[in-house]
Amino acid sequence: MRVYFNSNFAGTTQDFAAGAKGNLNATLKNNNASHELLSGPTGCSTDGTNSKLPSTILVYRVSLGRVDRVDFKTYVKNVLPNEWVTSWPAASLDAGAMAVKSYAWYWALHSTRKTSGGQCYDVRDDTGDQVYRPSSAQTSTSAAVDRTWSNRLTRSGNILRAHYCATTTACGGWVDGDWMSQYGSRDLANSGSSYQAILRHYYRDVVIS
């Protein structure tokens, strides 16, 4: 059960496991205006591993001042069209889908970040991590997510924290093998490269499985 300070599932929250008892913490100040039944992981936990996709991800909605637990595939589909140009060739979009998913997957496993109010989160919804906008999914980018969903990007068996930026110049340190140029992925796709070849071009010593 998730307890919210405000009505309509808004404001500060506190989670309670099934069958658990407890007092509301100081941030709720004994106010609780709405309650939501949860399934899957709760609190700061994830059910993902380096070989298993997380079912959800904790997204810090910066301008709203709250953390949402979002279905993981829904999250990726509502990030990719805000980070890649939706009309770019399929191989570029597929490479982008892999990078967006891998970056988020890494942080779902490793994040220890918290908001100023003490809520844990995996990723921000702005350029501090990846731009997430609910209901922004597009047909071309969602298809790329679906095509690559069963694949993962690892280095030494661990999910890659895949960085990317607009161009090789903007990336700065992209040549160290941890950054992908978004426009470069477009150009490689236009020249006939597969999404796997694009990923291996930019990310050093990675395995696509």
Side-chain angles (χ1 to χ4, degrees):
M1 174 72 71
R2 176 164 294 162
V3 180
Y4 292 83
F5 186 89
N6 297 327
S7 56
N8 298 315
F9 308 133
T12 303
T13 67
Q14 183 178 347
D15 291 349
F16 291 88
K21 294 180 180 180
N23 293 321
L24 294 174
N25 63 35
T27 62
L28 287 160
K29 300 184 176 68
N30 288 327
N31 288 286
N32 56 108
S34 54
H35 309 78
E36 179 183 18
L37 287 171
L38 302 172
S39 59
T42 59
C44 300
S45 66
T46 181
D47 54 359
T49 67
N50 279 308
S51 58
K52 177 181 177 291
L53 278 163
S55 60
T56 60
I57 187 167
L58 293 169
V59 183
Y60 179 22
R61 308 297 310 285
V62 178
S63 64
L64 299 176
R66 71 170 194 251
V67 174
D68 291 348
R69 186 178 284 280
V70 180
D71 174 80
F72 191 69
K73 194 171 191 179
T74 299
Y75 168 81
V76 176
K77 286 187 173 183
N78 285 280
V79 168
L80 186 57
N82 304 306
E83 294 286 359
W84 251 256
V85 178
T86 59
S87 61
W88 281 358
S92 172
L93 297 182
D94 289 357
M98 289 289 288
V100 166
K101 177 176 66 179
S102 193
Y103 182 90
W105 191 345
Y106 174 89
W107 282 114
L109 298 182
H110 297 288
S111 178
T112 58
R113 295 179 284 182
K114 292 189 175 182
T115 68
S116 57
Q119 290 180 285
C120 49
Y121 68 93
D122 301 322
V123 288
R124 297 166 58 104
D125 68 354
D126 60 14
T127 54
D129 282 304
Q130 302 185 122
V131 177
Y132 164 75
R133 295 192 182 115
S135 303
S136 65
Q138 300 294 316
T139 301
S140 61
T141 46
S142 291
V145 174
D146 289 335
R147 282 193 298 269
T148 58
W149 193 246
S150 62
N151 299 329
R152 36 177 210 139
L153 189 61
T154 58
R155 180 184 289 151
S156 302
N158 298 311
I159 292 298
L160 180 71
R161 184 173 61 179
H163 294 283
Y164 53 85
C165 57
T167 65
T168 53
T169 302
C171 286
W174 75 277
V175 290
D176 66 6
D178 290 329
W179 291 82
M180 175 165 57
S181 162
Q182 290 157 296
Y183 278 86
S185 77
R186 177 203 63 183
D187 295 341
L188 286 170
N190 279 330
S191 67
S193 293
S194 66
Y195 85 85
Q196 297 96 330
I198 294 170
L199 293 172
R200 293 190 182 103
H201 178 81
Y202 288 107
Y203 298 125
R204 183 187 63 248
D205 301 329
V206 292
V207 174
I208 302 165
S209 59

